Each structure stands twice: as C-alpha cells, then as structure tokens.
Amino acid sequence: DTAVSQTPKYLVTQMGNDKSIKCEQNLGHDTMYWYKQDSKKFLKIMFSYNNKELIINETVPNRFSPKSPDKAHLNLHINSLELGDSAVYFCASRGQGNQPQHFGDGTRLSIL
Amino acid sequence: AQSVSQHNHHVILSEAASLELGCNYSYGGTVNLFWYVQYPGQHLQLLLKYFSGDPLVKGIKGFEAEFIKSKFSFNLRKPSVQWSDTAEYFCAVTVNTGGFKTIFGAGTRLFVKA
C-alpha cells in the first residue's frame, strides 16, 4: 500500500564504498525526485526526473548518479562515499503539474 | 532566482499557545503554496496547500494558512498547539518557469512543551 517506498531504510557503510538506494512509487506519477536532508534538517533537491528523463540536476558531485529504468522507479547510486554524504535521503514523486509531492520514508545513510 | 524564506528556525511553545510560522517567497508570477510537516524520524507529509480561490486555507490537525499576495507570504497558524505538534515544518512554493519547480524553505523546528 505504501505510495513511495525506499530501500534500504538504514545504510551504514565505510568511506570509499559504492552503494545504491532504490525508490519506487505506485501512484502513477510522472515526476520523481531525490532530496538530501542534512543534520540541520535542510532539504536540498538533488535530481528530478520526468517520465524517465532528467529535468533537474542541481549542483551535486558526479559521484551521485540517478537511474530511472521506468517512470515508477528512480534509484540513486553513490560512488566513493565520503563522510559528508552522511544524511537522510528522501525520494518523492509528484503527479501532473502543480500537485503536492509525496515523500518516501527516507534512507538514513551513515558513513564510518 | 526564486526562493522561500522561513523566518524562524526554532520555535518553542507551551501547550495551548497559539502558533504562527512565517513564510515568504520571491517570485512575481503565479505560485502554488504548500506547508509540509515532518514528525521526528518520519518523512514529510502535506499539511495544506493553496492553489487559488479563498486565500485562507484549512489543513489537517487544525492548521490553517493565509496567502497574502501583496506580501508574498503564506504564514501557517494554529490557535492552540499540542505536544504532538512537535515537528519540523517546511513551506514550499511551486512555480512554472517552463516546467513546474518546487522550492522548499529551510524549515522551522517547533518544540511544544507539555
């Protein structure tokens, strides 16, 4: 029943590793997002995809690469993890036009 | 560039106190406005939204917000807060600049003392 689901919920790993976070939405939405929320709760948009095409790519290190195999999925792959990557990553989706976004539960990434 | 400002980063209130959280945006065109709430350890959830019509909108859990176009503001209010309202509150604005773009404010952390 979950509208926007992310896996894993927690991810603890060492510096230098490569990891992926998956996101799926069953709302039939065309647009999906990845956000990074730091320890001060500031929410920063990273990427936005519309119908599998990248439409927003904010200033994000190229170690972060989104992949959208279909419009219901938007995965985030991170290479060579760094300490500063520790944060909660939220996936979100939006329907047509100006509708509100629906957020996943977040993935808490901790880099040791 | 478009931006959203939330004036208060931290607010501490006692139960039953009235709440008003400020939100201002910078964009001269048509906007759609939202308030989201994030309870501790949870994801963002929509509290209320304004698209058009009555500038005073009512949301869930007794929250309301008023759109004042001349002030570019969309302040969130609740007459009497409860301990369970402790959360982070985000104001967001969607603009259409050839495609819909949503900008979030930095958030306001509300702590309600029991």
Side-chain angles (χ1 to χ4, degrees):
Chain A
D1 281 329
T2 305
V4 181
S5 59
Q6 297 178 227
T7 53
K9 196 173 174 70
Y10 299 95
L11 187 51
V12 181
T13 189
Q14 292 187 322
M15 269 200 312
N17 284 350
D18 303 339
K19 291 292 178 187
S20 292
I21 308 172
K22 295 185 177 181
C23 178
E24 176 182 4
Q25 54 96 3
N26 62 6
L27 298 166
H29 288 169
D30 290 333
T31 306
M32 295 184 72
Y33 305 85
W34 276 109
Y35 289 89
K36 179 181 180 181
Q37 187 176 46
D38 61 24
S39 58
K40 294 182 179 178
K41 299 295 186 182
F42 184 71
L43 199 65
K44 178 186 174 186
I45 189 166
M46 301 175 71
F47 302 101
S48 173
Y49 268 71
N50 185 271
N51 270 322
K52 302 194 301 173
E53 290 188 22
L54 180 67
I55 57 172
I56 293 177
N57 182 358
E58 297 292 327
T59 306
V60 174
N62 58 14
R63 297 182 294 103
F64 291 81
S65 53
K67 284 189 172 51
S68 183
D70 55 61
K71 76 172 195 177
H73 296 84
L74 181 61
N75 304 325
L76 184 65
H77 188 75
I78 317 170
N79 288 328
S80 303
L81 282 157
E82 300 178 358
L83 286 176
D85 297 334
S86 293
V88 181
Y89 292 83
F90 285 99
C91 177
S93 73
R94 175 175 60 78
Q96 292 280 342
N98 54 7
Q99 294 304 309
Q101 296 181 24
H102 295 252
F103 285 81
D105 287 339
T107 296
R108 184 173 295 274
L109 173 63
S110 300
I111 309 301
L112 304 177
Chain B
Q2 307 88 20
S3 64
V4 176
S5 299
Q6 292 184 239
H7 317 300
N8 316 99
H9 294 292
H10 294 92
V11 173
I12 302 174
L13 295 173
S14 297
E15 273 196 314
S18 65
L19 169 73
E20 179 158 4
L21 302 182
C23 174
N24 285 86
Y25 64 92
S26 62
Y27 182 67
T30 302
V31 294
N32 300 115
L33 299 152
F34 307 88
W35 275 98
Y36 288 85
V37 60
Q38 184 180 25
Y39 297 105
Q42 295 188 25
H43 61 277
L44 277 76
Q45 304 169 48
L46 183 68
L47 257 186
L48 46 79
K49 62 186 178 186
Y50 171 79
F51 283 1
S52 63
D54 189 345
L56 183 64
V57 292
K58 296 192 185 298
I60 60 172
K61 305 187 180 187
F63 285 91
E64 65 178 32
E66 185 175 12
F67 172 47
I68 303 179
K69 190 174 180 180
S70 60
K71 294 185 178 180
F72 299 90
S73 70
F74 190 56
N75 292 355
L76 180 71
R77 300 195 291 251
K78 185 170 183 178
S80 175
V81 294
Q82 300 172 310
W83 175 79
S84 57
D85 293 325
T86 294
E88 192 90 17
Y89 291 83
F90 293 90
C91 180
V93 172
T94 295
V95 301
N96 189 350
T97 55
F100 287 98
K101 180 179 178 182
T102 300
I103 304 119
F104 281 84
T108 297
R109 185 168 296 182
L110 171 65
F111 181 73
V112 180
K113 298 184 289 185

